[in-house]
Amino acid sequence: MIRAALAMAATAVPLVPAAGADPLAPGAASCLACHAEGGGLPDLGTLSPQAIEAALAGYRDGSRAGTVMPRLAKGFSAVESRAIAEALGRTGAAGR
């Protein structure tokens, strides 16, 4: 019983970022499942934050076509989209 509790504690996900780690904007981490290097879709780390923000705005307002992205982008406000773009753009987490 004690071994099981210790094993669970050792693999628990921390609730706060490790010291020195940059926390991602809410929603940004899930983008990396498909949009990180080698993910099969455009690597967000190669795009500027402005390009990502513009793409999200286009998906949100319908001026940019897509299958899944229009639905996802509509779930974020312009402010949230900017935070995601800044977190994942060339200088953000995806670009590291």
Side-chain angles (χ1 to χ4, degrees):
M1 185 80 111
I2 293 174
R3 253 188 242 169
L6 290 173
M8 286 180 6
T11 60
V13 176
L15 298 177
V16 294
D22 293 332
L24 289 178
S30 62
C31 301
L32 296 177
C34 299
H35 288 285
E37 184 178 353
L41 294 174
D43 177 359
L44 297 179
T46 65
L47 301 174
S48 71
Q50 296 80 12
I52 296 169
E53 185 178 359
L56 288 171
Y59 287 127
R60 201 170 39 256
D61 69 18
S63 63
R64 185 174 177 129
T67 53
V68 174
M69 284 305 304
R71 296 176 191 162
L72 295 174
K74 287 177 184 170
F76 297 106
S77 69
V79 171
E80 291 168 326
S81 293
R82 175 175 290 134
I84 289 169
E86 289 175 358
L88 297 178
R90 252 193 301 252
T91 59
R96 293 186 185 147

